[in-house]
Amino acid sequence: MVNIIDKFLQDLKINGTAEKTVMDYSKFLKNINRQKSLEKWDKTDVNKYILEKHNECFAGAQICKVKLKRFFTWAGKSELVSHLNT
């Protein structure tokens, strides 16, 4: 069975996203999916992750916000990321 991350990556490829960008999303999403399945994330998980990244590096947090927003919007869960300014 193809999981949600693989479906998202496939969609990126179909829509002409550069291979480097697809690989970047793949690493990012699979890494955070190990902590907790993305299918089970809620708004609290999103906020917690962004705050962790913000403490490491502001620019890194901004990139994570963009990636999370793109993924969750695609997945039909835009309510999890609608509060993020990107």
Side-chain angles (χ1 to χ4, degrees):
M1 183 173 118
V2 179
N3 72 30
I4 193 167
I5 295 173
D6 292 333
K7 288 179 185 178
F8 175 71
L9 298 173
Q10 184 179 40
D11 224 35
L12 290 178
K13 288 178 186 178
I14 289 169
N15 288 305
T17 303
E19 189 62 33
K20 186 176 185 290
T21 302
V22 173
M23 291 303 296
D24 189 43
Y25 269 94
S26 176
K27 289 177 188 173
F28 172 76
L29 294 171
K30 288 177 180 177
N31 185 40
I32 62 176
N33 191 60
R34 281 189 213 109
Q35 297 172 13
K36 180 178 179 179
S37 172
L38 285 167
E39 294 175 359
K40 296 178 181 175
W41 274 45
D42 58 22
K43 197 171 186 176
T44 303
D45 295 313
V46 170
N47 290 339
K48 181 180 171 188
Y49 186 77
I50 295 298
L51 287 173
E52 287 173 9
K53 288 299 168 187
H54 186 75
N55 289 335
E56 293 173 19
C57 170
F58 179 75
Q62 292 302 108
I63 293 168
C64 291
K65 285 164 61 171
V66 170
K67 290 177 182 177
L68 288 171
K69 196 162 192 173
R70 186 170 183 183
F71 173 75
F72 283 118
T73 300
W74 171 88
K77 297 182 176 183
S78 59
E79 70 277 2
L80 301 183
V81 291
S82 60
H83 65 291
L84 299 177
N85 294 325
T86 55

